[in-house]
Amino acid sequence: AQSVSQHNHHVILSEAASLELGCNYSYGGTVNLFWYVQYPGQHLQLLLKYFSGDPLVKGIKGFEAEFIKSKFSFNLRKPSVQWSDTAEYFCAPLDTGRRALTFGSGTRLQVQP
Amino acid sequence: GAVVSQHPSWVICKSGTSVKIECRSLDFQATTMFWYRQFPKQSLMLMATSNEGSKATYEQGVEKDKFLINHASLTLSTLTVTSAHPEDSSFYICSARTTSGRRDTQYFGPGTRLTVL
């Protein structure tokens, strides 16, 4: 079964700081990877996804993630965060057998103005 | 596009009653929908996979007789919490899977907060 680990549970940054959130997954086969964001009081929104091809994927709102197969990682990055990026971020690999997502524990990002 | 709605957004019920939650894909057809449960400040836990026209597939530890799932059409799945108890109080979230032009991607509904008194 697929498992996923998000190492940073709570991150506090100042505006304009750079962000990197770690995500490691366990599955060694074909993997589809997603990052979702949940703003306070809102529902989950898709940030970006990786299926194949260029391992550096760009998403909405200036976010990007890099798939490193050798490290089983799919870290999320943003060069300069804004206060509006305050949210919960979830990494979710797709179990290609069941076609179901496995969610990481989430990282709460707090950006201070 | 790719909008998923849930109804109701919140519900309060007495212990022992049943509650039905609807999940609709508004602008696409979804042969597969998923039901998740999210506890406060925790991640989403997959409860079951809802397949249009067939029985749902439940995750280990999820009681299928308690959480009835019906996926009657390509745009609607319902979750009925039967004989609800306070421990069933949670945030229930559905997602709808699309593979049409968007690869295999799930779009999430806004969730339903259930409080059982």
Side-chain angles (χ1 to χ4, degrees), chain B residues 67-79:
Chain B
F67 298 99
L68 300 179
I69 291 172
N70 184 277
H71 195 150
S73 77
L74 288 171
T75 58
L76 173 64
S77 174
T78 59
L79 168 70

Side-chain angles (χ1 to χ4, degrees), chain A residues 32 34 36 38 42-46 49 51-52 88 90 94 98-106 108, chain B residues 4 32 34 36 38 41-44 46 49 59 91 93 97 102-111:
Chain A
N32 302 148
F34 300 79
Y36 285 88
Q38 189 172 32
Q42 295 189 31
H43 63 285
L44 280 164
Q45 297 176 36
L46 180 65
K49 55 190 175 183
F51 287 97
S52 62
E88 188 94 21
F90 295 96
L94 180 72
R98 297 184 305 160
R99 313 310 298 178
L101 293 169
T102 300
F103 279 85
S105 54
R108 188 157 78 95
Chain B
V4 177
T32 305
F34 300 89
Y36 296 84
Q38 186 179 30
K41 298 185 179 181
Q42 293 188 31
S43 187
L44 282 75
L46 179 66
T49 302
E59 295 300 299
F91 195 51
I93 304 172
R97 173 180 167 236
R102 302 186 182 105
R103 305 279 190 109
D104 196 330
T105 303
Q106 290 183 35
Y107 293 91
F108 286 80

Side-chain angles (χ1 to χ4, degrees), chain A residues 2-74:
Chain A
Q2 180 73 264
S3 69
V4 57
S5 175
Q6 288 184 244
H7 315 296
N8 318 102
H9 297 293
H10 188 191
V11 174
I12 302 174
L13 294 173
S14 298
E15 276 194 311
S18 64
L19 169 73
E20 179 159 3
L21 302 182
C23 172
N24 287 92
Y25 59 92
S26 65
Y27 188 60
T30 301
V31 61
N32 302 148
L33 297 157
F34 300 79
W35 275 96
Y36 285 88
V37 60
Q38 189 172 32
Y39 296 103
Q42 295 189 31
H43 63 285
L44 280 164
Q45 297 176 36
L46 180 65
L47 262 185
L48 48 78
K49 55 190 175 183
Y50 171 80
F51 287 97
S52 62
D54 189 344
L56 184 62
V57 292
K58 295 190 183 299
I60 61 171
K61 304 185 181 186
F63 286 91
E64 64 180 31
E66 184 174 13
F67 169 58
I68 303 179
K69 189 174 182 179
S70 61
K71 294 184 179 180
F72 295 86
S73 71
F74 190 56

Side-chain angles (χ1 to χ4, degrees), chain B residues 12-70:
Chain B
I12 301 172
C13 70
K14 291 182 179 180
S15 186
T17 61
S18 294
V19 173
K20 181 186 282 188
I21 303 170
E22 293 186 347
C23 176
R24 292 181 187 273
S25 56
L26 299 185
D27 56 352
F28 64 99
Q29 294 183 330
T31 54
T32 305
M33 292 184 175
F34 300 89
W35 287 96
Y36 296 84
R37 189 170 175 176
Q38 186 179 30
F39 290 101
K41 298 185 179 181
Q42 293 188 31
S43 187
L44 282 75
M45 299 297 296
L46 179 66
M47 297 175 65
T49 302
S50 170
N51 300 296
E52 188 268 337
S54 65
K55 291 183 179 180
T57 304
Y58 291 82
E59 295 300 299
Q60 193 171 14
V62 178
E63 297 176 61
K64 61 181 180 181
D65 294 329
K66 181 167 188 61
F67 298 99
L68 300 179
I69 291 172
N70 184 277

